Amino acid sequence: MRIGLGYDIHRLATGRKLYLGGIEIDFPLGLLGHSDGDCVIHALCDGLLGAAGLGDIGEHFPDTSVEWKDVRSTVILKKVLEMVQAEGFKIQNVDVTIYAEKPKLAPYKSKIRKNLASLLGLEEGEVNIKAKTLEGLGLIGREEAVASHVALVLEEKSSD
Ligand code: MG
């Protein structure tokens, strides 16, 4: 069993679509980033790479590379998943926390859960989504950013 933890934060800005967990969220602001700024998927990728001992997302998908400019983060996740599977691991469960003052994410949690389960080839019961506000505190509380933590467990596929 291998444990992974990922974290990411992106700044909210005008003129961008908001993607969280691969789902487009109806909101006037979006997350700034080299890709689509989906901090949930980025945290998930880092957790997967970490658990598999494969480094971090910045090493494999540098924000200086034109190849990854404006790419949907779900494309990056698919590549990370292939890398993790190639090392002989399968995901046991994924636990996601999203920190956002706005928008309120309650109406999107089930959609994000379904989408991540489908992207990861897991049952919905193996993916959990938690959404929290920061009670008005700090960058996130001031609605300047959205962040995400992802904890997950990988197991080694048996070779028999
Ligand atoms: Mg990021």
Side-chain angles (χ1 to χ4, degrees):
M1 188 181 95
R2 310 268 298 229
I3 291 174
L5 177 66
Y7 173 77
D8 197 28
I9 182 166
H10 281 256
R11 185 181 293 277
L12 283 165
T14 53
R16 301 272 299 179
K17 286 185 176 174
L18 178 60
Y19 292 103
L20 290 172
I23 295 291
E24 190 178 337
I25 311 271
D26 184 24
F27 195 58
L29 306 176
L31 294 173
L32 268 185
H34 187 66
S35 63
D36 62 11
D38 189 330
C39 61
V40 174
I41 301 268
H42 295 176
L44 177 55
C45 288
D46 258 353
L48 286 167
L49 291 169
L54 292 170
D56 66 38
I57 191 172
E59 286 171 33
H60 299 285
F61 308 94
D63 63 9
T64 47
S65 155
V66 287
E67 192 184 351
W68 307 111
K69 175 119 181 72
D70 297 325
V71 85
R72 285 293 305 278
S73 296
T74 46
V75 174
I76 292 173
L77 176 60
K78 277 181 192 151
K79 298 219 174 277
V80 167
L81 204 54
E82 282 166 17
M83 291 164 65
V84 167
Q85 285 164 346
E87 291 293 310
F89 294 111
K90 85 184 261 296
I91 305 169
Q92 228 172 56
N93 78 298
V94 172
D95 185 16
V96 176
T97 309
I98 309 171
Y99 305 92
E101 202 69 23
K102 272 188 187 161
K104 293 293 177 212
L105 295 174
Y108 293 98
K109 283 185 349 187
S110 135
K111 217 171 162 186
I112 293 172
R113 182 187 208 181
K114 279 194 179 73
N115 193 47
L116 290 184
S118 154
L119 287 166
L120 297 170
L122 297 174
E123 301 292 326
E124 277 182 52
E126 294 164 330
V127 177
N128 189 70
I129 310 292
K130 306 188 298 293
K132 306 186 75 69
T133 69
L134 267 81
E135 305 282 327
L137 294 166
L139 280 175
I140 295 166
R142 290 194 301 269
E143 301 167 28
E144 293 172 20
V146 175
S148 180
H149 266 124
V150 174
L152 59 91
V153 169
L154 298 183
E155 58 185 331
E156 282 185 67
K157 283 184 195 160
S158 61
S159 50
D160 54 22

